[in-house]
Amino acid sequence: MKHKIVIIAASCLGLFINTQAQTKGLKDYFKNDFTIGVAVSPRALKTDEAQLILKEFNSMTPENAMKMGPIHPFENQYNWAGGDSIAAFAKRNNMKLRGHCLCWHNQTPRWLFFDSSTNQQVTKEVLLKRLKDHITAVVTRYKDIIYAWDVVNEVISDKEDEYFRPSLWYQICGEEFVAKAFQYAHEADPKALLFYNDYNEINAVKRQKIIKMVKDLQAKGVPINGIGLQGHWAVNEPSKDQLEQTLKDFSALGLPLQVTELDISVYPKEHTARERKASDSDTIFTAEKELKQIEVYKYCFELFKKYKKSITSVTFWNISDRGSWLDSFPVRGRKDYPLLFDAQLKPKKAYWEITKSESNK
Ligand code: GLA
């Protein structure tokens, strides 16, 4: 009799754990730590990926829809359709929404920097006025749903002996556009959390430059509320120590940190685009690649939890291995598998590894 009860209890427990595994998502496993986000396109929200998003995530970032080029293609024309549909999905489903991004050197329309009649570069005054108009319109439109903005993206140089990236923004305005962008965003929505976002923050030299810029902005009273670490990483970097040092250095600033664009490529990291080589045709997701990726995902999440006082959100860049920007960078057409869900939208082993210790919470 006793034996029978034990068996019944054990199978009930098994059933319970199973159902839990089926109903719980990343957002539930990490609910006491940080929000879990995902970069989306308006199209994805109309496919089977929408169900996965609802189950697993409690925050979204528009992958492209709110970038300057797509949303503001001409001076007097905004293209709100994509941004609006993502905002509506977030509202309908009670999800958080991060805005991305208000000022960047890429995916930026040409009209911003050039005079339409003379074709000459505009002056600093004109460019700052255009930046202000852009930021005011976009931030105001999504004020009711976007709680945090990547205001300025990637202005620090990757070159050791160069501070700012010599973009057209910098060439025309000097450093000042950074402070101005934060000021305009704050004026448009005083409640929004305003982030500086960058990549390769694990590089000690670049990191110190980012920290210096943030401290200088703070000293000038610029309304900056947090730092976004993109987190485009790979099986060979960052090392655990490198990531720990990165999180330690940034958290010492006392500002909230968000991991804004996490993915872990199964290929060794290359920072610049290049032509295809014969060896690039080997794109099978082997057990070896999988194991290496699991290891990196595991220590990333261990460290994110260790620094959870500072880290308020972790967002993945793309939904599943069905499609990632890494399929065309650094090598066009080389399939990558950087996310936690496979092309059939099933959780990969890395998913179970990072959620294992969270299961009974
Ligand atoms: C940067 C940008 C993102 C995205 C990725 C690559 O990290 O911030 O918006 O374009 O590059 O897809």
Side-chain angles (χ1 to χ4, degrees), residues 34 69 75 100 109 133 142 146 165 172 222 225 246 264 329:
F34 22 72
E75 185 162 10
H100 176 82
D133 290 347
Y142 298 113
I146 288 186
R165 178 190 295 278
I172 299 174
V222 173
N225 306 114
T246 303
I264 295 173
F329 182 89

Side-chain angles (χ1 to χ4, degrees), residues 163 208-221 224 227 249 252-253 255:
Y163 185 22
Q208 289 317 318
K209 288 189 279 187
I210 298 175
I211 290 175
K212 174 183 165 19
M213 184 187 70
V214 170
K215 282 186 172 164
D216 287 351
L217 290 170
Q218 286 181 305
K220 286 188 208 135
I224 175 169
I227 302 182
D249 288 354
L253 281 168
L255 288 175

Side-chain angles (χ1 to χ4, degrees), residues 60 212 292 325 353:
M60 294 189 299
K212 174 183 165 19
K292 283 191 189 158
W325 73 289
E353 285 295 330

Side-chain angles (χ1 to χ4, degrees), residues 338-351:
L339 297 157
L340 291 182
F341 301 94
D342 67 18
Q344 281 68 49
L345 310 186
K346 292 273 171 302
K348 289 158 63 180
K349 282 189 199 149
Y351 177 104

Side-chain angles (χ1 to χ4, degrees), residues 42-53 319 322 345:
R43 210 189 58 82
L45 303 181
K46 300 192 174 86
T47 69
D48 53 345
E49 290 179 311
Q51 283 315 311
L52 182 82
I53 292 170
I319 305 163
R322 207 178 260 184
L345 310 186

Side-chain angles (χ1 to χ4, degrees), residues 62-64 67 100-101 104 107 150 153-154 197 199 230 232 261 317-318 325-326:
E63 181 183 4
N64 289 302
K67 288 175 178 168
H100 176 82
C101 51
W104 192 25
Q107 290 182 262
D150 291 329
N153 201 26
E154 306 179 348
N197 193 46
Y199 66 90
Q230 292 185 1
H232 291 299
E261 307 185 17
W317 204 250
N318 298 124
W325 73 289
L326 293 168

